[in-house]
């Protein structure tokens, strides 16, 4: 008899349902209180605009709230940090592609993986041992839960990277068009990038954020070649990398930057249209599985059902 034999599935199910309801109610109340606080903050800003010093103090306070949590994750992630510089640089590039450019981002990410492992694996182990005991099936389920907890942050990071890359891919042609207009009107590349970030910051936040960071690095005195190269590496988008290479070559050989930007914008717009056409062509293939699994059985029942019932009744009458 195992030590967890007295706990059955019927005993654990009400406990899990209770905790799920408590968590749901807590989340709803937190969401409502957050909405109320956001509305109050907007009213305060409209009634009395904050000064620059007050804004900086509020930002520092919000950062200090999570400083302890970040330090804890960072300390946990030190033990999992890769040994080779190549793996460390690869992890930094992945986090930069997702928008995390802090120096402590790799250690915080690795610490988060450990925390997710403990949060998911330990309750799953207790529940499996309580329901199935110390059996091979329970160990197999515990192993699956451990793998899910360990790789859950990695899946989330992959989703963030893909979402960020798609946002850059779909907004970059419009940013390049505005950049071409600014350059042809007499502005330099630095001023044109600043103008693009000011005009498109509402609907193209990701690319404007990257351009603003590149413009800040240029103002700090970094060479343009290094800044453009880092821009392509940070985004992880092939189009941005090719754009950076074209701008570096145009700056090195003294070619027209406006012409290079126009050619790149036309090619990217063509690629975006081809991608849309490709997705439209895949629609017919993707609709086959819902049609076969869900729509065709319903149509079959509606059309053949009455006839099948009549045939059954006739056969029963003849047999009777």
């Amino acid at each position: 008899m195992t030590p967890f034999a007295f706990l059955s599935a019927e005993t654990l199910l009400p406990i899990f349902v209770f905790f799920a309801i408590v968590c749901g109610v807590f989340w709803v109340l937190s969401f409502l209180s957050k909405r109320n606080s956001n509305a109050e903050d907007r009213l305060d800003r409209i009634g009395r605009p904050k000064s620059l010093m007050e804004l900086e103090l509020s930002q520092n306070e919000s950062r200090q709230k999570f400083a302890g949590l970040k330090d804890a994750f960072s300390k946990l992630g030190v033990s999992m940090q890769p040994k080779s510089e190549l793996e460390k640089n690869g992890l930094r590039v992945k986090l930069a592609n997702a928008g995390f450019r802090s120096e402590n981002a790799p250690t915080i990410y690795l610490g988060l993986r450990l925390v997710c492992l403990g949060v998911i694996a330990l309750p799953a182990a207790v529940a499996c041992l309580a329901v199935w005991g110390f059996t091979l099936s329970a160990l197999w389920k515990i192993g699956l839960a451990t793998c899910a907890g360990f790789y859950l942050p990695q899946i989330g990071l992959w989703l963030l990277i893909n979402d960020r890359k798609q946002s850059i891919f779909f907004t970059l042609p419009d940013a390049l068009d505005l950049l071409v207009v600014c350059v042809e009107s007499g502005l330099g590349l630095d001023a044109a990038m600043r103008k693009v970030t000011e005009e498109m910051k509402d609907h193209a936040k990701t690319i404007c954020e990257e351009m603003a960071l590149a413009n800040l690095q240029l103002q700090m005195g970094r060479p343009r070649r290094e800044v453009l190269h880092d821009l392509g590496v940070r985004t992880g988008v092939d189009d941005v990398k090719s754009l950076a290479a074209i701008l570096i070559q145009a700056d090195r050989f003294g070619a027209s930057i406006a012409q290079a930007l126009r050619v790149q914008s036309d090619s990217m717009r063509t690629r975006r249209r081809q991608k849309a056409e490709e997705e439209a062509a895949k629609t017919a293939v993707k609709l086959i599985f819902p049609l076969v699994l869900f729509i065709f059985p319903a149509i079959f029942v509606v059309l053949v059902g009455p006839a099948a019932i009549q045939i059954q009744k006739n056969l029963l009458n003849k047999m009777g």
Side-chain angles (χ1 to χ4, degrees):
M1 183 175 180
T2 61
F4 300 98
F6 63 93
L7 293 175
S8 61
E10 291 79 5
T11 307
L12 291 174
L13 183 60
I15 298 175
F16 288 148
V17 172
F18 172 74
F19 280 109
I21 294 174
V22 170
C23 294
V25 172
F26 179 75
W27 180 80
V28 171
L29 293 177
S30 301
F31 179 73
L32 293 176
S33 63
K34 184 179 179 182
R35 289 183 60 185
N36 293 331
S37 62
N38 291 333
E40 292 176 357
D41 292 338
R42 287 195 296 270
L43 290 174
D44 290 338
R45 286 197 299 269
I46 294 172
R48 184 180 62 86
K50 292 184 178 180
S51 62
L52 181 60
M53 183 178 297
E54 290 177 343
L55 290 174
E56 291 177 354
L57 289 175
S58 62
Q59 290 177 359
N60 292 331
E61 290 177 357
S62 61
R63 291 175 183 174
Q64 289 175 359
K65 290 180 182 178
F66 299 98
L69 189 60
K70 290 180 180 179
D71 293 338
F73 284 154
S74 180
K75 290 178 181 178
L76 287 174
V78 170
S79 59
M80 294 183 58
Q81 197 169 7
K83 301 300 180 182
S84 63
E85 290 294 330
L86 183 61
E87 293 179 352
K88 290 181 181 178
N89 293 331
L91 181 58
R92 290 194 189 98
V93 169
K94 286 183 179 179
L95 292 171
N97 293 339
F100 305 106
R101 294 182 290 270
S102 175
E103 290 292 333
N104 297 327
T107 54
I108 294 173
Y109 168 71
L110 296 175
L112 183 61
R113 293 186 69 177
L114 278 179
V115 171
C116 288
L117 175 64
V119 168
I120 296 178
L122 292 179
V126 173
C128 291
L129 291 176
V131 176
W132 291 286
F134 197 77
T135 59
L136 183 61
S137 176
L139 294 177
W140 177 253
K141 292 178 175 62
I142 292 171
L144 290 178
T146 304
C147 294
F150 189 73
Y151 288 104
L152 185 62
Q154 191 171 1
I155 296 173
L157 181 64
W158 178 74
L159 293 175
L160 287 175
I161 291 173
N162 284 344
D163 184 52
R164 190 177 175 85
K165 285 184 178 180
Q166 285 185 358
S167 175
I168 293 174
F169 176 77
F170 287 114
T171 56
L172 187 58
D174 299 331
L176 285 183
D177 290 338
L178 183 56
L179 200 62
V180 169
V181 173
C182 294
V183 171
E184 288 182 345
S185 63
L187 295 178
L189 183 60
D190 304 349
M193 291 173 63
R194 192 182 307 113
K195 189 66 175 176
V196 169
T197 56
E198 292 175 358
E199 295 293 333
M200 299 183 61
K201 61 183 178 180
D202 293 331
H203 63 279
K205 295 181 180 180
T206 306
I207 188 63
C208 290
E209 179 184 352
E210 295 295 338
M211 285 189 176
L213 181 58
N215 197 12
L216 179 61
Q217 291 176 352
L218 288 173
Q219 292 177 357
M220 296 298 292
R222 289 194 63 188
R224 181 175 294 177
R225 179 180 180 182
E226 296 180 2
V227 171
L228 293 175
H229 179 266
D230 291 345
L231 177 63
V233 173
R234 280 199 314 271
T235 57
V237 181
D238 295 334
D239 293 327
V240 181
K241 293 179 181 179
S242 61
L243 173 64
I246 289 173
L247 291 177
I248 289 171
Q249 295 295 329
D251 184 60
R252 178 182 296 179
F253 296 108
S256 175
I257 296 179
Q259 185 65 26
L261 290 173
R262 186 177 294 278
V263 172
Q264 184 69 12
S265 176
D266 293 339
S267 63
M268 286 188 60
R269 199 173 294 280
T270 302
R271 279 194 59 189
R272 189 169 64 172
R273 185 175 65 252
Q274 290 175 352
K275 187 174 181 62
E277 293 175 354
E278 180 183 357
E279 294 296 330
K282 290 180 181 178
T283 305
V285 180
K286 292 179 179 178
L287 284 175
I288 290 177
F289 299 100
L291 286 172
V292 173
L293 295 177
F294 302 106
I295 299 177
F296 283 167
I299 295 175
F300 184 79
V301 169
V302 171
L303 295 179
V304 183
I309 294 173
Q310 292 296 329
I311 293 172
Q312 183 183 6
K313 288 182 179 179
N314 294 329
L315 289 176
L316 291 175
N317 293 330
K318 289 180 180 180
M319 291 176 64

